[in-house]
Amino acid sequence: MARKLPKVDVVIVGVGWGGGIIASELTKAGLNVVGLERGKERVTEDYYMVHDELRYALRYELMQDLSKETITFRSNEKIRALPMRTYGSFLLGDGIGGAGVHWNGWTFRFMPYDFQIRSQTIERYGEKKIPPGMTIQDWGITYDELEPYFDKFEQMAGISGEDNPLAEQMKAKRSNKYPTPPMKHSPAMRLFTEAAQKLNLHPYTIPSANLSAPYTNPDGIARAACQYCGFCERFGCEYGAKADPVVTVIPVALKTGKFQIRTYSNVRRILHTGGRATGVLYVDVTTGEEIEQPADIVVLTSYVFNNTRLLLLSKLGRPYDPRTGKGVIGKNYAYQVQKGQATGFFENKEFNVFAGAGSLGMYVDDFNGDNFDHSDVNFLHGGGINILQLGKRPIQNNPVPKGTPTWGKEFKAASIKYYTRALTVGTQGASLPYQHHYLDLDPTYKDAFGDPLMRITFDFEEQDRELSRYLATKSEEIMKEMGADKVEASKELGPYDITPYQSTHNTGGVIMGGSPDTSAVNNYLQMWDAENVFVVGASAFAHNSGYNPTGTVGALAYRAAEGILKYHQAGGGLLV
Amino acid sequence: MAEQDNQEKTYSRRKFLQNTGFALGGLIVGGIAGSLLKPEPEQAAPPPAADQQRDFNQAFMFFTQEQFRIVEAATERIFPGDDLGPGAKALGVAYFIDHQLAGDYGFNARDYMQGPFFPGEKVQGYQGRLRRREIYTIALREMQNYSMATYQKNFADLTPEQQDEVLRAFEEDKVKITTVSPSGFFKMLVTNTLEGVYADPLYGGNRNMDGWRLKNFPGNQMSYVNVIEQDAFQKIEPASLKDHLSHS
Ligand SMILES: Cc1cc2nc3c(=O)[nH]c(=O)nc-3n(C[C@H](O)[C@H](O)[C@H](O)COP(=O)(O)OP(=O)(O)OC[C@H]3O[C@@H](n4cnc5c(N)ncnc54)[C@H](O)[C@@H]3O)c2cc1C
Ligand code: SF4
């Protein structure tokens, strides 16, 4: 029998961005909150030896230990799903701060079109434009309704940025300017900007959670400016310059005296009866003891996969059935389309590629969302086009022109020569959902506790291949304009492959929407089927945009926090 | 190319942290952190020449002598020493790989290694039950067998051209073995070679940071706030994680 603890107001499962934001908002309002986190504690002092590419970027020091838990994957239902045994496609967070510790910090707001994608597509192109099997749907909220929460996240994190020149066309209003100015521009960024402008595109500096200047946020948290140290993506920031839950929201929650974090606490089940959660069951992984934590409200903030998995394991909510399209838990899993890009080789110019910051770069939205006419293309949505200056570390960056041998003397010479002479215009394409892309419990493979792993059934579709080609062509045009001596575009997407890193932008599984028939949570991320359970994260996304997810995750978390407070005050009931 | 004085770029970490208030547990308030960066008054002592000091790290944790010789010869073909600079052998890459295989990486300690095992689709990634150190042991034996069968010599004693032929036979799966994937092993060997060339010297490769020097990669620097906007290429003398410690 599990040991039962005294009841608290709220229990949070996982303490990353989602958990940290919920904890800070609820404790500031006086609620007692317990945060259960399966991993360890983290502090800025941990990063004394952080400029170590092998340890952090290639041996995944900060990421989830796959020997204990992973996911399984298959391209479609005819194939046996097999475990992701080593890292590749995406990197899962673990420990206090979650993936928010080792993220890059590109902080976008999804655009108005995203939230009403289905109705706007039908309005502009007719229903036939949506290919069979594509399950895009409106999110049950509009950009304007979400705007104050985007702002809240940006003010808290101190996002450095400038206005998007297409904001007006996109109808993306801002109530406030970015709290800090845009990041510095490197020569590569200047080159890209000039080329894009010549092509009548509208480049802007990527909104960045690496601070361009020292900043004190509305909670009184002061942080240092970014040093462009070049060890950011996959690393923790030794300066606290990168917005990370550990240096922003978590200390605010702890200061109230109302937030208790329990590390090494792995949650296995949500306990519930009669459509209401009563608490959670977790294991103290240091002792193996099973513990029950009763709570009035349960908040899942354990990332896309475990948000979905815990609901399925706990038999809470209606599991999705890909045959009928009915049910909701596990529905609309989506990812990101990143293949389309163009690399340019410069014979007579060297760039300081070793320097950079996680979110340093330029972005172009002219081919993102519905910012261009889709009448003559065979895909919906689009993607952002970028140039990046993240800091190229030497093991992982060996760009060579096509036809160069992959090892030996010639490879050595070319990889050394072009290390400082190659730039890439990259793209980040939207990923739209299909009826047969989903998450469920794997029938065979288990985690360290014997619970089934999450199973992903996903592949790229014709939509994605068309989009990839389109964006690659646009990238190629920009790179040519930038004056590279040789330009190589990568156009063909191929099947989804779990082995190369692409992005940790997994979405869906517990999606939000306007109706319980088609969504799992309402626009406060409150479960339609269990009113005292809130499920926070990119799991709520009904599709993925041509942007990174976390700005929108943050906004939704602030909105969920407001919903939880309302729910707590009202003493129950659905908020929508 | 504008080359900046190397010394100008060697900041002391400790000084940096003090200047910015971090060592005192405080936070930077106001001011541009970059302007607080001052060059070290004293030049950092040059690292002792490799032969002045015995390198106790250069011994085997995992390989046999025979295995070490094969790996040293093979990685030197993958990343050869030439007039551009040192290759894998001079950089200590075989020691690097030896040390990696002796630890977590060699045991796949943080990988999901539970059964059942099934051959999968290519897009599903590695699905074998063997751990990296086992793959090395088996594949190195097979490299030796293949060399003996083809040239009646140990791999390490072949001419460079013959060694390339053997490596290519693995790369292209022309070696008929069932225990491990020859091309899978070859890919791992190339990856591990590049890791050994460019990882911090603390791991046993990239001796004297000479791997980094090949690429003009400055290693572990505190800040590029004054570099990031520069048009001219900045050649900066590299610093390692060890340099970090000697300052504290
Ligand atoms: C290398 C990298 C770069 C990225 N760059 C960007 C970027 O530039 N811009 C952007 O928008 N996004 C980026 N992301 C994505 C971003 O990091 C995530 O969207 C964000 O951190 C998700 O926050 P979260 O709180 O939802 O989940 P997480 O940060 O994953 O936190 C979930 C927490 O829950 C814990 N947990 C899980 N299961 C359990 C359980 N059963 N019991 C107890 N605890 C549990 C985990 O240990 C973890 O700490 C990047 C991600 C990576 C890996
Ligand atoms: S690039 Fe900037 S934000 Fe990123 S780790 Fe370095 S100092 Fe921190």
Side-chain angles (χ1 to χ4, degrees):
Chain A
M1 263 309 276
R3 176 161 62 99
K4 195 166 173 173
L5 298 174
K7 187 161 132 183
V8 294
D9 294 331
V10 179
V11 65
I12 292 176
V13 181
V15 186
W17 268 130
I21 290 169
I22 299 289
S24 74
E25 292 304 292
L26 300 190
T27 53
K28 279 193 277 180
L31 272 61
N32 280 305
V33 178
V34 163
L36 300 174
E37 167 55 52
R38 64 182 174 183
K40 66 178 177 186
E41 197 182 317
R42 291 194 198 290
V43 291
T44 300
E45 288 72 18
D46 293 349
Y47 310 128
Y48 186 52
M49 287 274 142
V50 80
H51 292 179
D52 184 339
E53 183 183 12
L54 186 73
R55 175 176 170 191
Y56 287 91
L58 294 160
R59 302 291 182 257
Y60 313 110
E61 172 76 22
L62 298 172
M63 287 104 188
Q64 175 179 315
D65 180 346
L66 296 184
S67 74
K68 302 205 170 77
E69 183 184 329
T70 183
I71 52 86
T72 71
F73 158 66
R74 56 181 181 172
S75 313
N76 59 60
E77 287 188 314
K78 294 193 198 89
I79 294 168
R80 187 202 317 261
L82 293 174
M84 176 174 80
R85 294 189 180 277
T86 62
Y87 271 120
S89 184
F90 45 82
L91 303 170
L92 302 164
D94 189 75
I96 300 298
V101 165
H102 50 78
W103 72 320
N104 293 45
W106 311 14
T107 310
F108 294 100
R109 301 170 164 200
F110 279 15
M111 52 186 98
Y113 164 75
D114 280 313
F115 301 102
Q116 293 167 296
I117 187 168
R118 186 175 177 85
S119 44
Q120 289 196 10
T121 300
I122 293 173
E123 196 182 309
R124 188 164 174 189
Y125 306 105
E127 194 160 358
K128 281 218 189 80
K129 184 77 181 167
I130 302 171
M134 183 189 279
T135 50
I136 46 171
Q137 60 186 58
D138 293 355
W139 290 37
I141 197 164
T142 63
Y143 175 89
D144 288 345
E145 287 170 301
L146 206 48
E147 202 284 333
Y149 310 98
F150 278 124
D151 185 54
K152 234 174 161 178
F153 183 74
E154 289 167 0
Q155 301 297 329
M156 176 276 294
I159 302 306
S160 306
E162 61 187 345
D163 285 344
N164 185 337
L166 293 181
E168 222 179 281
Q169 181 191 327
M170 287 157 66
K171 300 196 172 66
K173 273 182 272 160
R174 302 180 56 86
S175 51
N176 275 304
K177 291 219 160 296
Y178 284 107
T180 50
M183 301 284 281
K184 291 175 189 293
H185 285 191
S186 70
M189 290 161 71
R190 293 196 290 263
L191 209 54
F192 175 90
T193 304
E194 283 161 25
Q197 281 170 348
K198 252 189 222 151
L199 296 167
N200 294 319
L201 305 176
H202 299 84
Y204 63 99
T205 316
I206 292 179
S208 159
N210 321 129
L211 285 180
S212 63
Y215 177 67
T216 304
N217 79 6
D219 291 315
I221 296 279
R223 283 161 45 225
C226 171
Q227 298 300 312
Y228 301 85
C229 79
F231 288 82
C232 201
E233 171 174 21
R234 304 192 182 190
F235 304 83
C237 180
E238 63 196 314
Y239 299 107
K242 171 160 69 177
D244 148 358
V246 176
V247 297
T248 53
V249 284
I250 293 170
V252 171
L254 289 173
K255 213 176 132 202
T256 64
K258 297 196 165 283
F259 185 40
Q260 199 198 350
I261 297 182
R262 288 185 211 137
T263 48
Y264 301 110
S265 301
N266 198 304
V267 176
R268 290 184 60 193
R269 293 291 183 281
I270 304 152
L271 305 169
H272 58 96
T273 156
R276 287 179 65 90
T278 55
V280 300
L281 177 77
Y282 71 97
V283 176
D284 174 343
V285 296
T286 64
T287 60
E289 188 185 14
E290 289 203 331
I291 302 168
E292 185 182 331
Q293 176 62 66
D296 286 331
I297 297 168
V298 172
V299 188
L300 298 187
T301 47
S302 57
Y303 198 59
V304 171
F305 296 116
N306 276 346
N307 282 357
T308 308
R309 191 166 77 114
L310 282 168
L311 291 173
L312 291 174
L313 285 173
S314 310
K315 301 195 178 350
L316 192 56
R318 291 153 290 139
Y320 177 65
D321 180 348
R323 267 156 294 272
T324 60
K326 298 247 157 38
V328 285
I329 310 299
K331 180 178 167 174
N332 278 24
Y333 174 75
Y335 191 46
Q336 197 92 73
V337 178
Q338 291 200 313
K339 185 77 182 191
Q341 57 177 41
T343 297
F345 298 90
F346 294 77
E347 292 299 327
N348 301 311
K349 178 128 185 66
E350 282 192 86
F351 299 91
N352 292 309
V353 292
F354 50 84
S359 357
L360 187 60
M362 304 298 299
Y363 216 75
V364 164
D365 279 329
D366 295 77
F367 308 106
N368 207 351
D370 203 22
N371 294 346
F372 60 107
D373 186 9
H374 285 68
S375 304
D376 296 329
V377 296
N378 285 324
F379 60 87
L380 288 172
H381 212 302
I385 302 183
N386 60 53
I387 185 98
L388 304 176
Q389 177 96 30
L390 308 185
K392 285 189 177 163
R393 287 153 317 260
I395 302 173
Q396 287 192 285
N397 289 285
N398 292 287
V400 292
K402 271 189 201 119
T404 310
T406 53
W407 56 281
K409 191 174 161 64
E410 271 180 76
F411 168 77
K412 180 185 173 187
S415 63
I416 290 170
K417 175 177 171 190
Y418 289 111
Y419 170 64
T420 53
R421 289 177 172 88
L423 298 178
T424 297
V425 172
T427 63
Q428 205 161 225
S431 171
L432 303 183
Y434 284 80
Q435 186 170 335
H436 54 284
H437 296 171
Y438 65 103
L439 301 174
D440 69 350
L441 295 174
D442 190 274
T444 310
Y445 293 96
K446 308 265 192 289
D447 69 10
F449 304 102
D451 287 329
L453 297 179
M454 189 90 286
R455 174 169 69 177
I456 302 174
T457 305
F458 178 79
D459 203 351
F460 290 129
E461 303 288 336
E462 201 45 37
Q463 142 89 22
D464 306 310
R465 285 184 280 275
E466 291 276 348
L467 172 61
S468 184
R469 269 179 223 127
Y470 187 82
L471 293 176
T473 308
K474 302 294 175 195
S475 316
E476 195 177 13
E477 281 167 28
I478 300 175
M479 185 47 89
K480 283 191 173 143
E481 190 64 40
M482 285 169 70
D485 296 291
K486 189 171 191 182
V487 179
E488 289 175 2
S490 119
K491 294 191 174 159
E492 297 308 319
L493 181 60
Y496 174 63
D497 182 340
I498 197 107
T499 62
Y501 184 73
Q502 290 151 70
S503 81
T504 310
H505 303 166
N506 319 84
T507 62
V510 196
I511 65 173
M512 63 191 289
S515 149
D517 295 335
T518 52
S519 62
V521 293
N522 63 27
N523 64 24
Y524 285 99
L525 308 191
Q526 178 185 35
M527 272 186 88
W528 295 113
D529 294 338
E531 62 174 47
N532 67 338
V533 178
F534 292 76
V535 188
V536 178
S539 50
F541 292 9
H543 69 265
N544 199 12
S545 184
Y547 289 135
N548 312 52
T550 312
T552 304
V553 170
L556 290 173
Y558 276 106
R559 177 159 170 99
E562 194 181 292
I564 294 166
L565 289 174
K566 275 191 191 167
Y567 175 81
H568 182 75
Q569 271 153 17
L574 282 173
L575 293 159
V576 179
Chain B
M1 262 349 91
E3 288 197 14
Q4 290 218 332
D5 181 357
N6 292 339
Q7 297 310 326
E8 246 178 65
K9 292 280 161 190
T10 320
Y11 307 124
S12 145
R13 174 186 178 82
R14 180 178 208 180
K15 182 151 204 124
F16 183 88
L17 293 179
Q18 278 172 351
N19 281 341
T20 52
F22 264 94
L24 308 171
L27 285 151
I28 301 178
V29 272
I32 303 154
S35 69
L36 294 168
L37 293 171
K38 297 217 180 65
E40 269 289 88
E42 241 114 24
Q43 301 189 355
D51 55 359
Q52 272 177 0
Q53 204 181 46
R54 287 163 68 199
D55 188 346
F56 292 99
N57 192 261
Q58 292 216 333
F60 308 147
M61 298 176 186
F62 173 68
F63 286 144
T64 63
Q65 246 175 306
E66 185 193 17
Q67 289 171 330
F68 183 84
R69 278 186 34 153
I70 304 172
V71 171
E72 190 167 58
T75 55
E76 178 68 11
R77 292 313 303 153
I78 290 167
F79 201 86
D82 54 20
D83 43 5
L84 288 174
K89 185 172 177 184
L91 292 169
V93 167
Y95 289 106
F96 167 86
I97 296 177
D98 171 76
H99 299 353
Q100 286 294 303
L101 293 176
D104 278 2
Y105 179 73
F107 283 102
N108 296 59
R110 299 182 74 233
D111 295 336
Y112 188 82
M113 295 305 283
Q114 292 180 42
F117 293 92
F118 297 103
E121 305 290 321
K122 199 169 154 274
V123 294
Q124 291 176 305
Y126 178 67
Q127 293 297 335
R129 64 182 73 223
L130 294 176
R131 289 160 202 264
R132 294 186 185 91
R133 46 164 46 206
E134 295 162 335
I135 294 176
Y136 261 89
T137 301
I138 294 167
L140 293 176
R141 163 69 32 226
E142 295 293 351
M143 272 176 77
Q144 201 71 302
N145 290 346
Y146 187 83
S147 305
M148 286 308 267
T150 317
Y151 303 106
Q152 294 78 50
K153 271 190 188 157
N154 286 323
F155 179 82
D157 298 327
L158 300 178
T159 66
E161 293 71 30
Q162 290 170 332
Q163 287 174 341
D164 285 358
E165 284 306 315
V166 176
L167 289 171
R168 215 164 287 130
F170 274 75
E171 182 184 21
E172 291 163 8
D173 278 322
K174 286 193 182 131
V175 187
K176 296 294 161 230
I177 45 177
T178 50
T179 39
V180 300
S181 149
S183 60
F185 167 69
F186 182 77
K187 239 174 125 177
M188 178 156 72
L189 189 62
V190 172
T191 302
N192 295 156
T193 303
L194 290 174
E195 289 172 351
V197 169
Y198 295 122
D200 190 280
L202 111 88
Y203 295 99
N206 186 15
R207 280 192 98 187
N208 295 320
M209 303 186 281
D210 287 339
W212 287 344
R213 284 194 182 86
L214 287 171
K215 263 186 172 170
N216 284 322
F217 178 71
N220 161 44
Q221 304 286 333
M222 293 310 298
S223 172
Y224 294 123
V225 103
N226 296 326
V227 167
I228 195 72
E229 293 173 305
Q230 301 282 333
D231 251 313
F233 188 71
Q234 310 283 306
K235 208 166 171 182
I236 301 169
E237 173 63 14
S240 69
L241 290 169
K242 175 70 183 164
D243 296 326
H244 234 79
L245 272 179
S246 54
H247 284 302
S248 63

